[in-house]
Amino acid sequence: MRAPAIIFLVYWSLSAGAPSAPAADSCVTCHSALEEAEGAKGPAALIKNDVHIAHGLSCADCHGGDRTSDNPDVSMSKAKGFKGKPARTAIPKFCASCHSKPDVMRKFAPAERVDQYELYQTSIHGKRLAAGDTNVATCIDCHSVHDIRPVKDGMSPVHPLHVAETCARCHSDKRKMAPYKIPTNQFEEYRTSVHWEAMTKRGDLSAPSCASCHGNHGAKPPQVESVAAVCGTCHVTFEELYEKSVHKAVFSGVGGGGGCIVCHSNHAIHQPSTAMLVGPNAVCSGCHDAGTAPAQTAAQMAAWIDGLDGALKQSETVLARAEEYGMEVSEAQVRLIDGRENLVKSRLALHAIDPGEMRKPIDAGMAIAKETLAAGQAALREKDFRRWGLALSVILIGIAILAIRFLIRRVETNGKQQGPL
Ligand code: HEC
Ligand code: HEC
Ligand code: HEC
Ligand code: HEC
Ligand code: HEC
Ligand code: HEC
Ligand code: HEC
Ligand code: HEC
Ligand code: HEC
């Protein structure tokens, strides 16, 4: 192996360069020199962005050993507590040697959580690792190693914008996941979702990524009860209404999942529309045959939503036309916002699967649609009236001008005829 020769060379050059005083941190000094010889790809080259180094920690704080000695036989000796490279199965405990200790962590970051290892052990990842399966994620698969960044750093692999890619490194890898017989399409599907769009296209970091729904450290397989709960943690009012619905009781037994995901799915959550209620892709028709009472309810709900949506759009068009003609319709346009709010409320109320819940916002919205349409039409009539008025006055003025010119001409010709006399 090359290593002993390198050790010797580096040791020799270090001791030749500074024979009296040992390097401030021999681990960094020696490994930096080593890496330069190897093309600078190792720990010492990476470490410049590491949160640990930024907090004054160094190689020996994780790996043990004696950083004051230039002699590798001393600095990296068992006698000096050197641990070397931890085995893959030992990594969580290795990190936990600080991150589970409140007294250690408090000195650096008083508010930092110290439950990552504890939670990790409850996750599928943690449980499988404990059983010797090294394919699962350990701390360093999600956080990297030697260039571990603060989690809020935009370059961190666990930053909301990067989490999905980090999980996908394994979960989209068919070969890696084959032994477990679970799907590998989560990232692919998630990338088509409203959540991915909100996050990446609109920069809404409050939209969920993989870890928001599965947990950062307790990445346990989602349980039936926690599935609806996870959507409800953000979509609170939807959950409240869903809890009232007839489906609440029956869905908890559906397909091992239940809750919101029965209708919306979990990873490929698309923009909802009435196509979920009626038509060839309706989710309701998966369970309720055409002609049954629930199917009729679904059709009714769709008709209400589409009806209100259409009525509001009509008002909007008429008001926009009136505005183009310079008519004053701002009051009606403000009312229209209330109308759209009722449309939103009716889509929300749908979740109680009780037409009675929807009636109120639908009726209120329709009333506003009617009222604003009338206002728009009145403005257009007023515009027409003014136009006709204007046209009429232009014609009258035209006639008057012609008449005056005619008169002037008459006076002039009369004058000319009289002239030579
Ligand atoms: C004088 C040079 C030198 C010093 C000082 C030194 N190392 Fe090393 N270290 C090496 C060399 C060379 C290797 C072997 C590299 C290889 O096998 O590819 C190594 C290997 C390692 C490894 C990997 C061990 C394994 O199990 O694979 C770790 C971790 C490590 N050093 C950490 C440290 C720490 C921490 C310190 C300071 C306490 C330190 N080193 C000081 C030269 C040095
Ligand atoms: C936050 C803790 C931490 C710090 C600080 C740290 N290491 Fe490591 N180091 C690890 C872990 C964990 C591994 C195991 C990585 C793996 O399994 O791929 C490792 C692996 C290594 C290896 C073996 C690499 C390999 O691929 O075989 C070397 C060499 C090493 N570290 C040297 C260093 C040096 C030098 C420093 C300081 C510049 C340092 N480490 C700082 C945690 C740390
Ligand atoms: C499956 C991926 C994954 C694994 C495995 C993992 N983490 Fe994390 N970790 C995350 C994510 C995601 C965050 C949250 C980032 C955020 O808040 O935006 C995080 C946050 C953290 C934080 C910041 C404080 C906190 O709890 O939010 C620390 C410290 C941390 N992890 C340490 C660890 C340690 C130690 C281990 C191993 C025992 C570990 N992580 C294993 C993904 C992981
Ligand atoms: C020697 C003690 C020690 C060890 C061992 C250690 N850490 Fe840390 N870690 C710290 C300290 C101190 C901080 C800085 C304070 C903070 O921000 O939490 C930190 C910060 C972090 C952060 C950033 C947290 C944040 O809030 O942004 C992550 C992520 C992290 N460590 C992961 C790891 C991983 C993964 C390992 C194992 C490879 C590990 N740490 C090993 C002490 C340690
Ligand atoms: C290093 C590879 C790797 C990384 C990175 C990784 N995982 Fe895993 N994960 C696995 C393996 C392997 C399993 C075991 C599969 C099983 O038992 O079904 C697993 C299991 C899971 C399970 C349980 C699946 C089930 O129902 O059986 C969930 C949920 C999960 N991971 C979520 C995540 C999330 C979220 C992330 C990112 C924050 C992530 N994983 C990152 C490898 C990884
Ligand atoms: C909006 C919440 C949410 C997001 C975001 C999310 N998941 Fe899931 N995931 C779920 C739910 C709920 C289930 C349970 C499905 C079931 O029980 O039928 C699940 C199931 C899984 C499973 C088990 C196998 C499977 O496909 O059913 C894995 C693995 C998984 N998710 C990984 C991921 C990864 C990787 C990401 C990011 C690319 C991700 N999830 C994003 C909610 C989410
Ligand atoms: C971490 C918070 C969070 C979680 C958990 C969450 N969502 Fe979302 N969801 C959001 C955000 C933020 C948006 C974007 C809101 C927007 O577009 O105005 C969104 C958008 C949506 C939309 C589109 C709404 C619209 O008006 O366009 C649907 C449908 C949806 N989520 C369903 C779900 C379902 C089902 C689950 C559970 C599997 C879930 N969400 C879990 C935060 C979350
Ligand atoms: C029985 C099927 C079903 C269940 C269960 C269900 N939804 Fe919906 N959801 C729908 C339908 C249908 C729409 C579309 C209404 C429309 O736009 O016409 C919708 C729309 C939405 C919207 C978008 C509203 C908007 O303003 O565009 C969100 C967000 C949402 N659902 C979240 C949830 C959450 C969270 C849960 C669980 C607590 C849930 N849904 C459970 C059928 C369901
Ligand atoms: C996964 C299957 C499933 C899906 C999808 C589903 N339902 Fe249901 N629904 C049921 C079951 C089971 C019941 C309770 C048994 C019954 O009364 O038929 C029920 C009951 C109902 C009832 C009450 C019937 C009564 O007589 O009290 C209505 C209304 C209803 N569903 C409407 C809908 C609508 C609207 C959708 C689509 C947005 C929908 N369902 C989607 C399974 C489903």
Side-chain angles (χ1 to χ4, degrees):
M1 295 278 276
R2 256 182 7 255
I6 295 173
I7 296 191
F8 174 76
L9 269 176
V10 172
Y11 181 44
W12 175 79
S13 66
L14 282 177
S15 31
S20 46
D25 189 331
S26 66
C27 326
V28 177
T29 314
C30 181
H31 277 266
S32 301
L34 267 176
E35 286 162 23
E36 257 160 52
E38 299 256 320
K41 287 192 233 55
L46 291 172
I47 212 99
K48 60 183 182 296
N49 297 316
D50 195 287
V51 64
H52 300 99
I53 302 305
H55 280 79
L57 300 174
S58 185
C59 322
D61 291 303
C62 280
H63 288 291
D66 181 359
R67 76 189 84 186
T68 63
S69 168
D70 286 339
N71 184 345
D73 294 333
V74 178
S75 61
M76 295 193 290
S77 66
K78 274 223 163 62
K80 296 285 185 183
F82 183 66
K83 290 186 259 183
K85 177 185 172 177
R88 206 165 147 73
T89 47
I91 287 171
K93 209 159 189 184
F94 184 91
C95 307
S97 69
C98 295
H99 282 282
S100 294
K101 296 210 179 86
D103 50 324
V104 174
M105 295 310 294
R106 211 175 296 132
K107 279 187 271 178
F108 297 92
E112 183 89 327
R113 303 174 61 147
V114 287
D115 59 355
Q116 297 89 5
Y117 179 56
E118 199 185 314
L119 286 170
Y120 176 76
Q121 286 172 299
T122 68
S123 73
I124 287 273
H125 295 147
K127 284 183 182 156
R128 283 197 172 272
L129 190 78
D133 181 349
T134 53
N135 288 328
V136 294
T138 69
C139 316
I140 63 169
D141 296 296
C142 294
H143 291 288
S144 84
V145 62
H146 298 133
D147 60 350
I148 300 177
R149 294 171 186 255
V151 295
K152 299 282 173 279
D153 184 326
M155 298 277 281
S156 160
V158 297
H159 185 271
L161 287 173
H162 304 306
V163 168
E165 281 149 65
T166 300
C167 310
R169 276 211 324 270
C170 297
H171 283 281
S172 297
D173 185 333
K174 289 196 170 60
R175 197 183 40 82
K176 209 174 231 166
M177 299 313 290
Y180 308 98
K181 301 189 167 54
I182 62 170
T184 49
N185 59 357
Q186 298 92 4
F187 185 41
E188 208 180 298
E189 292 202 326
Y190 171 68
R191 263 190 301 191
T192 69
S193 75
V194 284
H195 291 141
W196 170 261
E197 191 181 307
M199 167 109 61
T200 61
K201 307 237 165 78
R202 296 202 296 280
D204 183 352
L205 297 187
S206 68
S209 185
C210 320
S212 330
C213 292
H214 291 285
N216 300 337
H217 301 115
K220 60 182 168 210
Q223 304 300 322
V224 171
E225 307 82 53
S226 73
V227 174
V230 90
C231 313
T233 52
C234 299
H235 301 285
V236 182
T237 43
F238 285 86
E239 188 181 45
E240 279 165 13
L241 285 157
Y242 169 70
E243 301 263 308
K244 289 202 223 165
S245 80
V246 285
H247 292 134
K248 165 73 179 155
V250 285
F251 280 9
S252 55
V254 175
C260 319
I261 65 170
V262 173
C263 295
H264 289 288
S265 96
N266 51 2
H267 301 126
I269 300 173
H270 296 147
Q271 188 60 54
S273 74
T274 47
M276 287 173 71
L277 294 163
V278 287
N281 300 318
V283 289
C284 319
S285 54
C287 300
H288 300 297
D289 288 337
T292 59
Q296 280 161 1
T297 303
Q300 175 68 84
M301 289 170 159
W304 280 345
I305 291 174
D306 286 340
L308 178 54
D309 192 23
L312 290 169
K313 283 200 176 114
Q314 195 192 356
S315 300
E316 197 178 306
T317 311
V318 171
L319 288 174
R321 238 184 40 231
E323 196 185 23
E324 258 171 42
Y325 286 123
M327 304 305 291
E328 168 55 43
V329 288
S330 57
E331 205 173 306
Q333 274 167 331
V334 170
R335 274 297 274 161
L336 206 54
I337 298 174
D338 293 337
R340 284 197 211 95
E341 224 156 72
N342 276 294
L343 180 61
V344 171
K345 279 187 197 153
S346 68
R347 287 183 169 131
L348 173 63
L350 174 151
H351 289 80
I353 308 288
D354 170 7
E357 284 274 351
M358 277 178 82
R359 209 51 259 194
K360 227 168 83 187
I362 290 285
D363 287 347
M366 282 309 260
I368 294 171
K370 228 164 129 186
E371 171 197 322
T372 50
L373 181 67
Q377 285 168 338
L380 284 178
R381 275 198 303 276
E382 164 98 16
K383 176 221 55 170
D384 287 346
F385 180 73
R386 285 193 202 162
R387 284 213 149 176
W388 280 116
L390 186 68
L392 202 65
S393 51
V394 167
I395 292 168
L396 287 177
I397 291 168
I399 292 172
I401 290 173
L402 285 176
I404 290 166
R405 280 182 61 178
F406 180 73
L407 277 177
I408 293 173
R409 225 178 269 140
R410 279 280 297 269
V411 171
E412 276 175 0
T413 40
N414 281 349
K416 268 184 201 149
Q417 274 165 3
Q418 281 165 11
L421 291 177

